[in-house]
Amino acid sequence: MLKVEDVHVYYGAIHALKGISLEVPQGQIVTLIGANGAGKTSTLNTICGLLKPKSGRVVFEGKDITGLATPEIVKMGLTQVPEGRRIFANMPVYENLELGAFLNKNKSEVAESMEHVYNRFPRLRERKNQLAGSLSGGEQQMLAMGRALMSKPRLLLLDEPSMGLSPILVKEIFSIIKELNEQGTTILLVEQNAKMALSIAHRGYVVETGRIVLAGDARELLESPEVKKAYLGG
């Protein structure tokens, strides 16, 4: 479904991504794990058009989308839930969700998407008129995911969904991610919680200083001595 081929990205003189290549097969959860600053977010931002690679290409469902504007990429069915949620704190929950469907001018379709999101996240329905900034961290993460789902993506990019959440909420968010995948959404997951990410993923990539250093079946990576030592505390 998605191929990233030998992508190089620079921030000024800094060579951030040094030939990243990865594949996301349709129907799978693929995870990128690695330390802070390894290049995980830069990879997602390049895929969804927020960063332009100096070389290499991004191919989504057989189409070269390298350098396309982000709204065009969203229209094609690829959406990102950014790190840090980036919700609109001074707007109510329902308006945050509406913004997720800003490209869709069909009101009944938007209403249908909204209903679908409320069914998936009942807490958002309960709080739909509440200001988004007054939600708990877990609810804000649900809102960020719900907003992304409003555009009915076929591929969802998730950037650090467990960041700052309590262990109980982390479990809840990960079970939602697994459910979304089981219902047909393909997922590329960037996550510092390597154990949780690999436990729900089909395939994993380990990123270090802008390069993929390990790749393979998620279960195998969970058992890999290098991964255990570097990311799983033993």
Side-chain angles (χ1 to χ4, degrees):
M1 190 177 220
L2 178 77
K3 273 186 181 180
V4 176
E5 299 173 346
D6 195 25
V7 161
H8 289 258
V9 167
Y10 287 78
Y11 293 102
I14 295 163
H15 195 175
L17 299 184
K18 303 164 185 168
I20 291 271
S21 293
L22 60 89
E23 288 187 7
V24 182
Q26 186 162 357
Q28 291 197 1
I29 299 176
V30 174
T31 186
L32 281 183
I33 62 171
N36 247 342
K40 305 185 303 295
T41 295
S42 298
T43 301
L44 292 194
N45 286 345
T46 304
I47 292 166
C48 68
L50 294 169
L51 286 174
K52 304 286 180 268
K54 190 154 190 183
S55 62
R57 64 187 201 134
V58 180
V59 179
F60 177 57
E61 295 187 321
K63 298 180 194 79
D64 188 338
I65 62 168
T66 322
L68 279 187
T70 302
E72 290 302 307
I73 292 172
V74 172
K75 248 185 229 170
M76 293 169 80
L78 192 160
T79 306
Q80 180 174 0
V81 179
E83 182 182 358
R85 335 235 203 272
R86 309 269 177 91
I87 55 159
F88 297 94
N90 295 323
M91 289 165 67
V93 164
Y94 76 90
E95 283 184 5
N96 270 267
L97 292 175
E98 283 172 351
L99 283 169
F102 76 102
L103 292 169
N104 191 344
K105 303 296 174 240
N106 183 321
K107 283 186 176 170
S108 67
E109 275 184 21
V110 173
E112 193 184 297
S113 294
M114 183 93 77
E115 191 55 29
H116 180 72
V117 168
Y118 283 150
N119 288 339
R120 166 150 305 291
F121 302 106
R123 253 178 283 178
L124 296 184
R125 189 195 298 276
E126 289 164 20
R127 291 160 172 65
K128 64 182 178 184
N129 296 311
Q130 218 171 293
L131 291 183
S134 68
L135 300 178
S136 70
E139 288 161 354
Q140 289 186 12
Q141 184 59 49
M142 288 173 197
L143 177 57
M145 288 167 74
R147 182 179 59 190
L149 293 173
M150 288 291 292
S151 66
K152 295 188 173 168
R154 291 188 301 286
L155 175 60
L156 188 60
L157 311 183
L158 289 168
D159 196 355
E160 302 284 5
S162 79
M163 187 184 272
L165 300 184
S166 69
I168 287 173
L169 278 171
V170 170
K171 269 190 172 165
E172 190 175 344
I173 291 295
F174 272 89
S175 77
I176 289 166
I177 294 168
K178 204 166 179 232
E179 247 173 65
L180 284 174
N181 175 247
E182 284 163 359
Q183 288 167 6
T185 307
T186 305
I187 290 169
L188 177 57
L189 169 66
V190 156
E191 184 52 68
Q192 276 200 310
N193 187 331
K195 193 169 189 175
M196 285 296 281
L198 290 170
S199 72
I200 65 162
H202 299 90
R203 185 168 175 75
Y205 291 89
V206 180
V207 189
E208 276 177 18
T209 57
R211 290 189 174 88
I212 303 280
V213 293
L214 270 178
D217 179 85
R219 300 285 174 276
E220 286 168 15
L221 288 176
L222 258 180
E223 297 306 317
S224 148
E226 301 105 301
V227 172
K228 276 184 173 172
K229 192 174 172 202
Y231 304 104
L232 306 176

